[in-house]
Amino acid sequence: MNVLVINCGSSSLKYQLINSDTEAVLAKGLCERIGAAGSVLKHTPAGGDKVEIESPMPNHTQAIQLVINALTDANHGVVKSLDEIDAVGHRIVHGGEKFASSTIITDEVLAAIEECNDLAPLHNPANLIGINACKEIMPNVPMVAVFDTAFHQTMPEKAYLYGLPYEYYEKYKIRRYGFHGTSHDFVSARAAQILGKDRKDLKIIVCHLGNGASISAVDHGKCVDTSMGLTPLEGLIMGTRSGDLDPAIIEFIANKENLSSAEINNILNKKSGVFGLSGGVSSDFRDLSNAMDEGNALAKAALETYSYRVAKYIGSYAAAMNGVDVIAFTAGIGENDARVREMVGQYLGYLGASIDPVKNKVRGEETILSAEGDKVTVMIVPTNEELAIARETVRLV
């Protein structure tokens, strides 16, 4: 079965075509600047060179059509016709409390996803646009919605409630939902598999460290806590997001700088994190690391503060599960940044965990980083959200 995996943003669209029998990626690509001038499709067939196709994309339907054209092209395509695409899996950011697992897309499901738009106003509407665009071009192809929030729906009430008047939860469903759930699910399952164990027998902390970052506590196969909240702004310090802070800071800055709540929200999401902490050096950890080596004190402070926050969450989740067996690093920074892993590892000795400096000299490979005899296994497990979405799609279709 060939599964087309779609990750749709407001002005972009990422895709992969995956053969579910071999789990090989047949092709992947990205549509950029949808609805704007200069739109381009970057398409890479397996074993082939990247092809850039500049073409007007006034809407997502046109973008999907260009993707189909690229996949079926005589020169750089990987299938002969649309008939060879058997199913489509869509990444949906927010499923609220309505979806605790992936589901076949129906009109009722679309309506329920739309009801979650208030919880993810930047993401869910774009996800819905992608679904409707695919339905228009491929009306007879089965489609599946895979939710970023679903894996975290096993959190107990004590983990997801905020210290707010309960009526706000009742009226508006204000609670912790968590994100990157597809990644946390995939990585925790793969970590157990690498160790030759059943996930149901382990306590695993997954550190999904990318430009957006989150940590989860997976206790015997179920998520019991995670760092992101109602939105992806809560939790760790990230590339440009603030993470946890004193809520009173918002009003304080607004009054001092004469800013609206929308302007403050923009600062917290796009101008904070390690970018803001470093004085605007960069949100890219490679740039920060280079600046730190060159003696930039703010870059050093940003990396140290980031790593400290990661370590604090690991400690809190070890407490939440009353122990931990595995700590898994994943995503762009977790998989590739040896310095950040080393800085986090300095805080883990009390758990009986360590990171071997020789083993740590690796990028993007499944690797056990801890020393022989350590009580806790520390490892790198590269994430593959697209493959996870494809697997869910096959399971349901």
Side-chain angles (χ1 to χ4, degrees):
M1 178 183 288
N2 291 330
V3 179
L4 179 61
V5 176
I6 297 290
N7 181 353
C8 202
S10 57
S11 62
S12 66
L13 186 154
K14 296 179 184 178
Y15 65 91
Q16 285 192 13
L17 185 65
I18 296 174
N19 181 306
S20 67
D21 297 326
T22 63
E23 296 195 336
V25 178
L26 304 180
K28 62 182 179 180
L30 169 66
C31 295
E32 294 181 310
R33 297 180 61 83
I34 298 171
S39 52
V40 61
L41 166 61
K42 299 176 180 178
H43 172 79
T44 306
D49 296 328
K50 180 187 291 185
V51 179
E52 293 198 8
I53 303 166
E54 294 184 14
S55 178
M57 298 182 212
N59 53 52
H60 287 74
T61 302
Q62 183 60 31
I64 293 288
Q65 186 61 63
L66 286 170
V67 169
I68 298 300
N69 293 346
L71 291 170
T72 58
D73 185 84
N75 295 316
H76 50 256
V78 293
V79 293
K80 292 180 180 178
S81 73
L82 182 60
D83 295 337
E84 293 184 47
I85 298 175
D86 302 295
V88 181
H90 292 270
R91 177 197 178 217
I92 310 297
V93 167
H94 217 308
E97 291 186 325
K98 301 176 186 296
F99 298 103
S101 61
S102 306
T103 185
I104 296 281
I105 294 174
T106 63
D107 289 342
E108 291 76 18
V109 168
L110 284 174
I113 293 172
E114 189 171 1
E115 288 175 15
C116 297
N117 281 2
D118 285 348
L119 297 173
L122 298 179
H123 298 93
N124 271 34
N127 301 155
L128 286 166
I129 289 169
I131 293 172
N132 288 322
C134 286
K135 283 167 63 69
E136 185 174 338
I137 294 172
M138 298 176 276
N140 299 316
V141 177
M143 300 191 189
V144 169
V146 181
F147 299 91
D148 267 11
T149 50
F151 182 62
H152 304 306
Q153 283 297 298
T154 52
M155 282 191 292
E157 188 178 57
K158 64 185 178 183
Y160 69 69
L161 285 179
Y162 289 117
L164 296 169
Y166 192 74
E167 64 181 289
Y168 295 144
Y169 169 64
E170 293 179 304
K171 290 196 294 187
Y172 310 119
K173 297 302 178 185
I174 294 176
R175 50 158 286 184
R176 172 173 286 106
Y177 289 98
F179 299 88
H180 299 136
T182 306
S183 176
H184 287 284
D185 188 11
F186 178 90
V187 170
S188 57
R190 180 61 187 149
Q193 188 178 24
I194 292 168
L195 297 174
K197 297 182 179 180
D198 191 321
R199 183 168 65 167
K200 294 179 180 178
D201 296 328
L202 295 171
K203 298 176 180 181
I204 304 172
I205 295 174
V206 177
C207 303
H208 178 108
L209 308 181
N211 197 265
S214 62
I215 296 185
S216 68
V218 183
D219 192 353
H220 295 86
K222 292 185 178 182
C223 178
V224 296
D225 209 340
T226 191
S227 58
M228 284 181 168
L230 175 73
T231 76
L233 185 59
E234 187 182 359
L236 299 175
I237 294 167
M238 305 178 217
T240 61
R241 298 176 194 152
S242 66
D244 296 339
L245 48 72
D246 180 347
I249 291 171
I250 295 171
E251 184 182 19
F252 184 88
I253 294 175
N255 291 337
K256 291 289 185 181
E257 299 284 332
N258 193 28
L259 298 172
S260 67
S261 60
E263 288 171 322
I264 291 291
N265 199 45
N266 184 62
I267 290 169
L268 297 180
N269 276 285
K270 298 181 179 180
K271 297 181 180 180
S272 299
V274 293
F275 174 78
L277 276 171
S278 67
V281 169
S282 182
S283 62
D284 189 308
F285 281 66
R286 292 166 295 188
D287 296 337
L288 292 172
S289 191
N290 290 335
M292 176 176 167
D293 290 338
E294 292 168 0
N296 188 305
L298 288 180
K300 181 174 184 288
L303 287 172
E304 287 179 341
T305 308
Y306 176 89
S307 302
Y308 179 66
R309 182 73 62 87
V310 172
K312 281 176 66 177
Y313 262 100
I314 290 172
S316 68
Y317 287 168
M321 295 189 292
N322 195 21
V324 59
D325 301 304
V326 179
I327 299 169
F329 289 94
T330 194
I333 297 159
E335 295 170 26
N336 298 303
D337 197 316
R339 169 172 269 168
V340 167
R341 292 194 300 262
E342 178 188 5
M343 292 172 79
V344 173
Q346 293 173 356
Y347 295 98
L348 305 181
Y350 73 100
L351 290 172
S354 68
I355 294 179
D356 185 293
V358 176
K359 294 179 181 178
N360 194 37
K361 294 177 181 179
V362 66
R363 290 174 57 86
E365 297 178 14
E366 292 182 345
T367 309
I368 293 177
L369 301 172
S370 45
E372 290 290 331
D374 278 4
K375 183 180 177 182
V376 177
T377 301
V378 182
M379 58 200 306
I380 300 170
V381 182
T383 191
N384 194 332
E385 292 170 279
E386 290 79 13
L387 178 57
I389 291 170
R391 286 175 175 173
E392 281 292 278
T393 302
V394 171
R395 181 180 68 83
L396 288 168
V397 169

